[in-house]
Amino acid sequence: IADTDADKYTEASWAVYTAALADAKAILADADATQENVDAAVAALGQATEALVTKEAELESIKAAAIEELNSYANADDYREDEKATLQVAIAGGTKAIQAATTAEEVTKALTDAKEVIDGIPTDAAWQRKSLTRQWKMLILSWKVIKLMLYI
């Protein structure tokens, strides 16, 4: 693998590979190296080569994890029917933004933005709380009206 290929791989996997390559070159240059040392260096270099991770593969892995997190972020059963449709649109939009991302930072932003949209969709429990709050307000208003009527 040429040094010019370094930008294709993640920094961490490239660092492991170059360290294994340097060790292998040092062993091969050592006139006193045993066959066992050479075999071990060749094996380590082979493992490091196999372990190289392309930046594309890493980004795809990050995207897959973000999409999985987004899909499990909210439970559709917690929403009323109208909000379920809105939730599905938010998830689909977030998924599309994640897939279009070209960096890990863009993936994180797309996931965060999608979660913010989902957080703004009222759950069934939120609707029930609003309904109870409205009912209490109406009850209090009714008592005030009755109280006023008693003064008339």
Side-chain angles (χ1 to χ4, degrees), residues 66-110:
I67 290 169
E68 183 177 332
E69 182 177 341
L70 179 60
N71 284 325
S72 64
Y73 185 68
N75 183 351
D77 293 336
D78 294 340
Y79 295 84
R80 293 182 176 192
E81 289 306 314
D82 288 344
E83 284 71 32
K84 285 181 183 180
T86 304
L87 175 65
Q88 291 307 313
V89 169
I91 292 171
T95 299
K96 187 174 180 179
I98 290 167
Q99 289 171 336
T102 58
T103 65
E105 292 78 18
E106 288 177 7
V107 171
T108 299
K109 180 168 179 2

CSV table of all heavy atoms in Angstrom, one decimal, residues 66-110:
chain,number,residue,atom,x,y,z
A,66,ALA,N,-26.4,6.1,13.4
A,66,ALA,CA,-27.3,7.3,13.5
A,66,ALA,C,-28.7,7.0,13.1
A,66,ALA,O,-29.7,7.3,13.8
A,66,ALA,CB,-26.7,8.5,12.8
A,67,ILE,N,-28.8,6.3,12.0
A,67,ILE,CA,-30.2,5.9,11.5
A,67,ILE,C,-30.9,5.0,12.5
A,67,ILE,O,-32.0,5.1,12.8
A,67,ILE,CB,-30.1,5.3,10.1
A,67,ILE,CG1,-29.7,6.4,9.1
A,67,ILE,CG2,-31.4,4.7,9.7
A,67,ILE,CD1,-29.4,6.0,7.7
A,68,GLU,N,-30.1,4.0,13.0
A,68,GLU,CA,-30.6,3.1,14.0
A,68,GLU,C,-31.1,3.9,15.2
A,68,GLU,O,-32.2,3.6,15.8
A,68,GLU,CB,-29.6,2.0,14.4
A,68,GLU,CG,-30.1,1.0,15.3
A,68,GLU,CD,-29.1,-0.1,15.6
A,68,GLU,OE1,-28.2,-0.4,14.8
A,68,GLU,OE2,-29.1,-0.6,16.7
A,69,GLU,N,-30.3,4.8,15.7
A,69,GLU,CA,-30.6,5.6,16.9
A,69,GLU,C,-31.9,6.4,16.6
A,69,GLU,O,-32.8,6.5,17.4
A,69,GLU,CB,-29.5,6.5,17.2
A,69,GLU,CG,-29.7,7.4,18.5
A,69,GLU,CD,-28.5,8.2,18.9
A,69,GLU,OE1,-27.4,7.9,18.5
A,69,GLU,OE2,-28.7,9.2,19.6
A,70,LEU,N,-32.0,7.0,15.4
A,70,LEU,CA,-33.1,7.8,15.0
A,70,LEU,C,-34.4,7.0,15.0
A,70,LEU,O,-35.4,7.4,15.5
A,70,LEU,CB,-32.9,8.5,13.7
A,70,LEU,CG,-34.0,9.4,13.2
A,70,LEU,CD1,-34.3,10.5,14.1
A,70,LEU,CD2,-33.7,9.9,11.8
A,71,ASN,N,-34.3,5.8,14.4
A,71,ASN,CA,-35.5,4.9,14.3
A,71,ASN,C,-36.0,4.4,15.7
A,71,ASN,O,-37.1,4.1,15.8
A,71,ASN,CB,-35.2,3.7,13.4
A,71,ASN,CG,-35.2,4.1,12.0
A,71,ASN,OD1,-36.0,5.0,11.6
A,71,ASN,ND2,-34.3,3.5,11.2
A,72,SER,N,-35.1,4.4,16.7
A,72,SER,CA,-35.5,3.9,18.0
A,72,SER,C,-35.7,5.1,19.0
A,72,SER,O,-36.0,4.9,20.1
A,72,SER,CB,-34.5,2.9,18.6
A,72,SER,OG,-33.2,3.6,18.7
A,73,TYR,N,-35.6,6.3,18.5
A,73,TYR,CA,-35.6,7.5,19.4
A,73,TYR,C,-37.0,7.7,20.0
A,73,TYR,O,-37.2,8.1,21.1
A,73,TYR,CB,-35.2,8.7,18.6
A,73,TYR,CG,-35.1,10.0,19.5
A,73,TYR,CD1,-34.2,10.1,20.5
A,73,TYR,CD2,-36.0,11.0,19.3
A,73,TYR,CE1,-34.1,11.2,21.3
A,73,TYR,CE2,-36.0,12.2,20.1
A,73,TYR,CZ,-35.0,12.3,21.1
A,73,TYR,OH,-35.0,13.4,21.8
A,74,ALA,N,-38.1,7.4,19.2
A,74,ALA,CA,-39.4,7.6,19.6
A,74,ALA,C,-40.3,6.4,19.3
A,74,ALA,O,-40.1,5.7,18.3
A,74,ALA,CB,-40.0,8.9,19.0
A,75,ASN,N,-41.2,6.1,20.2
A,75,ASN,CA,-42.1,5.0,20.0
A,75,ASN,C,-43.4,5.5,19.4
A,75,ASN,O,-44.1,6.3,20.0
A,75,ASN,CB,-42.4,4.3,21.3
A,75,ASN,CG,-43.3,3.1,21.2
A,75,ASN,OD1,-43.8,2.8,20.2
A,75,ASN,ND2,-43.4,2.4,22.3
A,76,ALA,N,-43.7,5.1,18.2
A,76,ALA,CA,-44.9,5.5,17.5
A,76,ALA,C,-46.2,5.3,18.3
A,76,ALA,O,-47.2,6.0,18.2
A,76,ALA,CB,-45.0,4.9,16.1
A,77,ASP,N,-46.2,4.3,19.1
A,77,ASP,CA,-47.4,4.0,19.9
A,77,ASP,C,-47.7,5.1,20.9
A,77,ASP,O,-48.8,5.1,21.5
A,77,ASP,CB,-47.2,2.6,20.6
A,77,ASP,CG,-47.2,1.5,19.7
A,77,ASP,OD1,-47.7,1.6,18.5
A,77,ASP,OD2,-46.6,0.4,20.0
A,78,ASP,N,-46.7,5.9,21.2
A,78,ASP,CA,-46.9,7.0,22.2
A,78,ASP,C,-47.6,8.2,21.5
A,78,ASP,O,-47.9,9.2,22.2
A,78,ASP,CB,-45.6,7.5,22.7
A,78,ASP,CG,-44.9,6.4,23.6
A,78,ASP,OD1,-45.6,5.5,24.0
A,78,ASP,OD2,-43.7,6.5,23.8
A,79,TYR,N,-48.0,8.2,20.3
A,79,TYR,CA,-48.5,9.3,19.5
A,79,TYR,C,-49.9,9.0,19.0
A,79,TYR,O,-50.3,7.8,18.8
A,79,TYR,CB,-47.6,9.7,18.3
A,79,TYR,CG,-46.3,10.1,18.8
A,79,TYR,CD1,-45.2,9.2,19.0
A,79,TYR,CD2,-46.0,11.5,18.9
A,79,TYR,CE1,-44.0,9.7,19.5
A,79,TYR,CE2,-44.7,11.9,19.3
A,79,TYR,CZ,-43.7,11.0,19.6
A,79,TYR,OH,-42.5,11.4,20.0
A,80,ARG,N,-50.7,10.1,18.9
A,80,ARG,CA,-52.0,9.9,18.2
A,80,ARG,C,-51.8,9.7,16.7
A,80,ARG,O,-50.7,10.0,16.2
A,80,ARG,CB,-52.8,11.2,18.5
A,80,ARG,CG,-53.2,11.3,19.9
A,80,ARG,CD,-54.1,12.6,20.1
A,80,ARG,NE,-54.5,12.6,21.5
A,80,ARG,CZ,-55.4,13.4,22.0
A,80,ARG,NH1,-56.0,14.3,21.2
A,80,ARG,NH2,-55.8,13.4,23.3
A,81,GLU,N,-52.9,9.3,16.0
A,81,GLU,CA,-52.7,9.0,14.6
A,81,GLU,C,-52.1,10.1,13.8
A,81,GLU,O,-51.3,9.9,13.0
A,81,GLU,CB,-54.1,8.5,14.0
A,81,GLU,CG,-54.5,7.1,14.5
A,81,GLU,CD,-53.5,6.0,14.3
A,81,GLU,OE1,-52.9,5.9,13.2
A,81,GLU,OE2,-53.2,5.3,15.3
A,82,ASP,N,-52.6,11.3,13.9
A,82,ASP,CA,-52.1,12.4,13.2
A,82,ASP,C,-50.7,12.7,13.4
A,82,ASP,O,-49.9,13.0,12.5
A,82,ASP,CB,-52.9,13.7,13.5
A,82,ASP,CG,-54.3,13.7,12.9
A,82,ASP,OD1,-54.6,12.9,12.0
A,82,ASP,OD2,-55.1,14.5,13.3
A,83,GLU,N,-50.3,12.6,14.7
A,83,GLU,CA,-48.9,12.8,15.1
A,83,GLU,C,-48.0,11.6,14.6
A,83,GLU,O,-46.8,11.8,14.3
A,83,GLU,CB,-48.7,13.0,16.6
A,83,GLU,CG,-49.2,14.4,17.0
A,83,GLU,CD,-50.7,14.6,17.0
A,83,GLU,OE1,-51.5,13.6,17.1
A,83,GLU,OE2,-51.1,15.7,16.7
A,84,LYS,N,-48.6,10.4,14.5
A,84,LYS,CA,-47.8,9.3,14.0
A,84,LYS,C,-47.3,9.6,12.5
A,84,LYS,O,-46.1,9.3,12.2
A,84,LYS,CB,-48.6,8.0,14.0
A,84,LYS,CG,-48.8,7.4,15.3
A,84,LYS,CD,-49.6,6.1,15.3
A,84,LYS,CE,-49.8,5.6,16.7
A,84,LYS,NZ,-50.5,4.3,16.7
A,85,ALA,N,-48.2,10.2,11.7
A,85,ALA,CA,-47.8,10.5,10.4
A,85,ALA,C,-46.7,11.6,10.4
A,85,ALA,O,-45.7,11.5,9.6
A,85,ALA,CB,-49.0,11.0,9.6
A,86,THR,N,-46.8,12.6,11.3
A,86,THR,CA,-45.8,13.6,11.4
A,86,THR,C,-44.5,13.0,11.8
A,86,THR,O,-43.4,13.4,11.4
A,86,THR,CB,-46.2,14.7,12.4
A,86,THR,OG1,-47.5,15.2,11.9
A,86,THR,CG2,-45.2,15.8,12.4
A,87,LEU,N,-44.6,12.1,12.8
A,87,LEU,CA,-43.4,11.4,13.3
A,87,LEU,C,-42.7,10.6,12.2
A,87,LEU,O,-41.4,10.7,12.0
A,87,LEU,CB,-43.7,10.4,14.4
A,87,LEU,CG,-42.6,9.5,15.0
A,87,LEU,CD1,-41.6,10.4,15.7
A,87,LEU,CD2,-43.2,8.5,16.0
A,88,GLN,N,-43.4,9.9,11.3
A,88,GLN,CA,-42.8,9.2,10.2
A,88,GLN,C,-42.2,10.1,9.2
A,88,GLN,O,-41.1,9.8,8.7
A,88,GLN,CB,-43.9,8.3,9.5
A,88,GLN,CG,-44.4,7.2,10.4
A,88,GLN,CD,-43.2,6.3,10.9
A,88,GLN,OE1,-42.3,5.9,10.2
A,88,GLN,NE2,-43.3,6.0,12.2
A,89,VAL,N,-42.8,11.3,9.0
A,89,VAL,CA,-42.2,12.3,8.1
A,89,VAL,C,-40.8,12.8,8.7
A,89,VAL,O,-39.8,12.9,8.0
A,89,VAL,CB,-43.1,13.4,7.8
A,89,VAL,CG1,-42.4,14.6,7.1
A,89,VAL,CG2,-44.3,12.9,7.0
A,90,ALA,N,-40.8,13.0,10.0
A,90,ALA,CA,-39.6,13.5,10.7
A,90,ALA,C,-38.5,12.5,10.6
A,90,ALA,O,-37.4,12.8,10.3
A,90,ALA,CB,-39.9,13.9,12.1
A,91,ILE,N,-38.9,11.2,10.8
A,91,ILE,CA,-37.9,10.2,10.8
A,91,ILE,C,-37.3,10.0,9.3
A,91,ILE,O,-36.1,9.9,9.1
A,91,ILE,CB,-38.4,8.8,11.3
A,91,ILE,CG1,-38.7,9.0,12.8
A,91,ILE,CG2,-37.5,7.7,11.0
A,91,ILE,CD1,-39.5,7.8,13.4
A,92,ALA,N,-38.2,10.0,8.4
A,92,ALA,CA,-37.8,9.9,7.0
A,92,ALA,C,-36.9,11.1,6.5
A,92,ALA,O,-35.9,10.8,5.9
A,92,ALA,CB,-39.0,9.8,6.0
A,93,GLY,N,-37.3,12.3,7.0
A,93,GLY,CA,-36.5,13.4,6.6
A,93,GLY,C,-35.1,13.4,7.3
A,93,GLY,O,-34.1,13.7,6.7
A,94,GLY,N,-35.1,12.9,8.6
A,94,GLY,CA,-33.8,12.8,9.3
A,94,GLY,C,-32.9,11.7,8.6
A,94,GLY,O,-31.7,11.9,8.5
A,95,THR,N,-33.5,10.6,8.2
A,95,THR,CA,-32.8,9.5,7.6
A,95,THR,C,-32.2,10.0,6.3
A,95,THR,O,-31.0,9.8,6.0
A,95,THR,CB,-33.7,8.3,7.3
A,95,THR,OG1,-34.2,7.9,8.6
A,95,THR,CG2,-33.0,7.2,6.6
A,96,LYS,N,-33.0,10.8,5.5
A,96,LYS,CA,-32.5,11.3,4.2
A,96,LYS,C,-31.3,12.3,4.5
A,96,LYS,O,-30.3,12.2,3.8
A,96,LYS,CB,-33.6,12.0,3.5
A,96,LYS,CG,-33.2,12.5,2.1
A,96,LYS,CD,-34.5,13.0,1.4
A,96,LYS,CE,-34.1,13.5,0.0
A,96,LYS,NZ,-35.2,14.0,-0.7
A,97,ALA,N,-31.4,13.1,5.5
A,97,ALA,CA,-30.3,14.1,5.8
A,97,ALA,C,-29.1,13.3,6.3
A,97,ALA,O,-28.0,13.7,5.9
A,97,ALA,CB,-30.8,15.1,6.9
A,98,ILE,N,-29.3,12.3,7.1
A,98,ILE,CA,-28.1,11.5,7.5
A,98,ILE,C,-27.4,10.8,6.3
A,98,ILE,O,-26.2,10.8,6.2
A,98,ILE,CB,-28.5,10.4,8.6
A,98,ILE,CG1,-28.9,11.1,9.9
A,98,ILE,CG2,-27.5,9.4,8.8
A,98,ILE,CD1,-29.7,10.2,10.9
A,99,GLN,N,-28.2,10.2,5.4
A,99,GLN,CA,-27.6,9.6,4.3
A,99,GLN,C,-26.9,10.5,3.3
A,99,GLN,O,-25.9,10.2,2.7
A,99,GLN,CB,-28.7,8.8,3.5
A,99,GLN,CG,-29.3,7.6,4.2
A,99,GLN,CD,-30.5,7.0,3.6
A,99,GLN,OE1,-31.2,7.6,2.9
A,99,GLN,NE2,-30.7,5.7,3.9
A,100,ALA,N,-27.4,11.8,3.3
A,100,ALA,CA,-26.7,12.8,2.4
A,100,ALA,C,-25.5,13.4,3.0
A,100,ALA,O,-24.7,14.0,2.4
A,100,ALA,CB,-27.7,13.9,2.1
A,101,ALA,N,-25.3,13.2,4.3
A,101,ALA,CA,-24.1,13.7,5.0
A,101,ALA,C,-22.8,13.2,4.4
A,101,ALA,O,-22.7,12.0,4.1
A,101,ALA,CB,-24.2,13.4,6.5
A,102,THR,N,-21.8,14.1,4.4
A,102,THR,CA,-20.5,13.7,3.9
A,102,THR,C,-19.4,13.6,4.9
A,102,THR,O,-18.3,13.2,4.6
A,102,THR,CB,-20.1,14.6,2.7
A,102,THR,OG1,-20.0,16.0,3.2
A,102,THR,CG2,-21.0,14.6,1.5
A,103,THR,N,-19.8,14.0,6.1
A,103,THR,CA,-18.8,14.0,7.3
A,103,THR,C,-19.5,13.5,8.5
A,103,THR,O,-20.8,13.5,8.6
A,103,THR,CB,-18.2,15.3,7.6
A,103,THR,OG1,-19.2,16.2,8.1
A,103,THR,CG2,-17.5,15.9,6.4
A,104,ALA,N,-18.8,13.0,9.5
A,104,ALA,CA,-19.3,12.6,10.7
A,104,ALA,C,-20.0,13.7,11.4
A,104,ALA,O,-21.1,13.5,12.1
A,104,ALA,CB,-18.3,12.0,11.6
A,105,GLU,N,-19.5,14.9,11.3
A,105,GLU,CA,-20.1,16.1,11.9
A,105,GLU,C,-21.5,16.4,11.3
A,105,GLU,O,-22.4,16.7,12.0
A,105,GLU,CB,-19.2,17.3,11.8
A,105,GLU,CG,-17.9,17.2,12.6
A,105,GLU,CD,-16.8,16.4,11.9
A,105,GLU,OE1,-16.9,16.1,10.7
A,105,GLU,OE2,-15.9,15.9,12.7
A,106,GLU,N,-21.6,16.2,10.0
A,106,GLU,CA,-22.9,16.4,9.3
A,106,GLU,C,-23.9,15.4,9.8
A,106,GLU,O,-25.1,15.7,9.9
A,106,GLU,CB,-22.7,16.4,7.8
A,106,GLU,CG,-22.0,17.6,7.3
A,106,GLU,CD,-21.8,17.6,5.8
A,106,GLU,OE1,-22.3,16.6,5.1
A,106,GLU,OE2,-21.1,18.5,5.2
A,107,VAL,N,-23.4,14.2,10.0
A,107,VAL,CA,-24.3,13.1,10.5
A,107,VAL,C,-24.8,13.5,11.8
A,107,VAL,O,-26.0,13.4,12.1
A,107,VAL,CB,-23.6,11.7,10.5
A,107,VAL,CG1,-24.4,10.7,11.2
A,107,VAL,CG2,-23.2,11.3,9.1
A,108,THR,N,-24.0,13.9,12.7
A,108,THR,CA,-24.4,14.3,14.1
A,108,THR,C,-25.4,15.4,14.0
A,108,THR,O,-26.4,15.4,14.8
A,108,THR,CB,-23.1,14.7,14.9
A,108,THR,OG1,-22.2,13.6,15.0
A,108,THR,CG2,-23.5,15.1,16.3
A,109,LYS,N,-25.1,16.4,13.2
A,109,LYS,CA,-26.1,17.5,13.1
A,109,LYS,C,-27.4,17.1,12.6
A,109,LYS,O,-28.5,17.5,13.1
A,109,LYS,CB,-25.5,18.6,12.2
A,109,LYS,CG,-26.4,19.8,12.1
A,109,LYS,CD,-25.8,21.0,11.5
A,109,LYS,CE,-26.7,22.2,11.3
A,109,LYS,NZ,-28.0,22.2,11.8
A,110,ALA,N,-27.4,16.2,11.6
A,110,ALA,CA,-28.7,15.8,11.0
A,110,ALA,C,-29.5,15.0,12.0
A,110,ALA,O,-30.7,15.1,12.1
A,110,ALA,CB,-28.4,14.9,9.7
